[in-house]
Amino acid sequence: MAAQKINEAHEHIAKAEKCLKTSLTKWKPDFDSAASEYAKAAVCFKNAKQYDQAKDAYLKEAEYHTDNKALFHAAKAIEQAGMMMKEQKKMPEAIQYIEKACMMYMENGTPDTAAMALDRAGKLIEPINLEKAVDLYQKAAGVFENEDRLRQAVELLGKASRLLVRLKRLDEAAVALQKEKNMYKEIENFPMCFKKTTAQVLVHLHRGDFVAADKCVRESYSLPGYSGSEDCVAMETLLQGYDEQDEDQVYRVCNSPLLKYMDNDYAKLAISLKVPGGGGKKKKAAAAPQGGAGGAPSAAKDEEDDEYEGGLC
């Protein structure tokens, strides 16, 4: 079966070469037909699992589409060449081809296609290179934003923000979250603004910036429905506990369902949040009936269990 497909591929390449020949009666190469034959050859090579040869055929197809001023089809072929690299687990090369295709989509005036391709590229590279995935998601978001497609843009920004938290690039995560929140406000998705405020507070507290965290909550009072909401009360309680170095209060809020069932990267920020200068002890532990040293191992165990739970959500 594979041998038959490879033979078919070579037949299509031979036909493509014929299309490119000129003569006294045929002055111009037939780039359109040549591209079509190389596309067929690429599919045959792909079906035979000859991915390198398939990639080369797709690049030839792209070359002749470009000669024929058919940029969209050229970009599609280059993106397919990238997918052949993906089949061989050559992810950096795959991403290079897809990014090149995206630039051509932009030149061709089809930015939506470019943004969707960048999103796909981000998903491909995310398991092996978080930094590159952030870059691709942010580029895709930027393209959608320029087209006033804010719902698509904010979704991609959200992916980038979560990865920035995972990478511990918290200053950048804080900026990205503010941009997300502004977009959600613009499209009047206020419940998501509430969630982003909570994420902002957690990021700022991990940055050690209580003032910025408090400011995020204060600014959110102007959002319809925020004041007095579950999200608002939780953040006010968290900030009060943090400011007063009340570890028990901070622990309760951070391990509440509201925070533990956020996106996993933010849930991990919640359960790992420590009060500065607390030394790992709960401020109110001494007042508890079972207080003293006996209560400490239990508290530590609870926290370990909660961290394990947070990792599953």
Side-chain angles (χ1 to χ4, degrees):
M1 177 66 177
Q4 184 188 338
K5 288 292 176 191
I6 291 168
N7 286 336
E8 279 181 43
H10 286 296
E11 284 169 19
H12 287 300
I13 289 171
K15 286 180 186 175
E17 286 169 354
K18 270 189 188 176
C19 296
L20 295 167
K21 284 180 181 171
T22 55
S23 66
L24 288 171
T25 56
K26 184 189 164 199
W27 293 3
K28 288 185 178 179
D30 184 353
F31 293 126
D32 189 41
S33 297
S36 177
E37 292 298 335
Y38 268 110
K40 290 171 187 171
V43 172
C44 290
F45 282 132
K46 181 167 75 170
N47 290 340
K49 297 192 181 342
Q50 301 298 307
Y51 298 121
D52 252 334
Q53 288 172 285
K55 175 207 73 177
D56 292 339
Y58 278 125
L59 292 177
K60 279 290 186 186
E61 180 198 350
E63 182 185 331
Y64 297 126
H65 276 312
T66 304
D67 288 337
N68 203 37
K69 308 274 191 294
L71 275 188
F72 182 82
H73 294 298
K76 277 282 179 195
I78 290 172
E79 191 179 349
Q80 284 302 310
M83 298 313 286
M84 295 306 96
M85 292 290 93
K86 175 237 173 188
E87 291 294 340
Q88 298 178 80
K89 306 284 190 288
K90 295 178 179 176
M91 290 305 180
E93 293 94 329
I95 300 307
Q96 282 174 6
Y97 282 124
I98 296 171
E99 284 191 285
K100 185 178 178 183
C102 290
M103 287 173 68
M104 293 177 79
Y105 287 133
M106 294 294 288
E107 285 173 42
N108 184 62
T110 48
D112 283 9
T113 312
M116 288 187 281
L118 287 167
D119 183 20
R120 285 195 293 274
K123 286 172 190 163
L124 286 180
I125 203 74
E126 192 176 314
I128 57 170
N129 188 336
L130 291 179
E131 286 89 351
K132 186 61 182 173
V134 167
D135 176 53
L136 291 166
Y137 290 142
Q138 287 179 331
K139 281 179 181 171
V143 174
F144 275 131
E145 188 181 359
N146 288 339
E147 295 300 301
D148 286 328
R149 300 272 301 275
L150 295 189
R151 282 178 174 79
Q152 288 85 351
V154 77
E155 187 182 327
L156 286 156
L157 269 182
K159 291 183 183 182
S161 300
R162 291 192 290 274
L163 294 188
L164 286 168
V165 167
R166 203 177 304 172
L167 287 162
K168 296 184 169 51
R169 286 160 56 180
L170 297 182
D171 290 353
E172 292 168 76
V175 172
L177 278 164
Q178 184 62 49
K179 191 167 185 182
E180 270 189 85
K181 187 167 153 184
N182 292 342
M183 278 194 194
Y184 277 121
K185 187 176 178 182
E186 200 168 331
I187 60 177
E188 298 187 348
N189 186 339
F190 298 118
M192 282 305 295
C193 291
F194 302 173
K195 301 301 174 200
K196 295 304 159 187
T197 300
T198 299
Q200 282 181 304
V201 169
L202 291 169
V203 166
H204 284 311
L205 292 181
H206 272 273
R207 290 175 63 241
D209 193 342
F210 177 86
V211 172
D214 187 55
K215 185 183 174 188
C216 287
V217 174
R218 290 182 185 281
E219 285 176 350
S220 294
Y221 289 146
S222 63
L223 296 170
Y226 184 71
S227 187
S229 69
E230 184 185 16
D231 302 83
C232 176
V233 171
M235 289 306 95
E236 287 172 340
T237 307
L238 175 61
L239 288 171
Q240 181 193 35
Y242 192 91
D243 191 37
E244 295 175 0
Q245 295 190 359
D246 184 340
E247 289 203 339
D248 192 49
Q249 185 163 311
V250 169
Y251 179 87
R252 276 200 313 275
V253 177
C254 287
N255 285 272
S256 67
L258 185 70
L259 272 67
K260 281 176 69 175
Y261 298 113
M262 293 178 76
D263 286 316
N264 201 36
D265 293 299
Y266 299 123
K268 285 180 178 177
L269 285 184
I271 60 175
S272 61
L273 184 64
K274 304 291 180 209
V275 173
K281 295 178 183 175
K282 293 184 183 178
K283 186 179 175 184
K284 295 184 178 177
Q290 74 272 26
S298 164
K301 183 180 184 307
D302 286 348
E303 192 161 345
E304 283 172 15
D305 289 345
D306 282 319
E307 283 186 3
Y308 183 66
E309 280 182 43
L312 291 176
C313 69

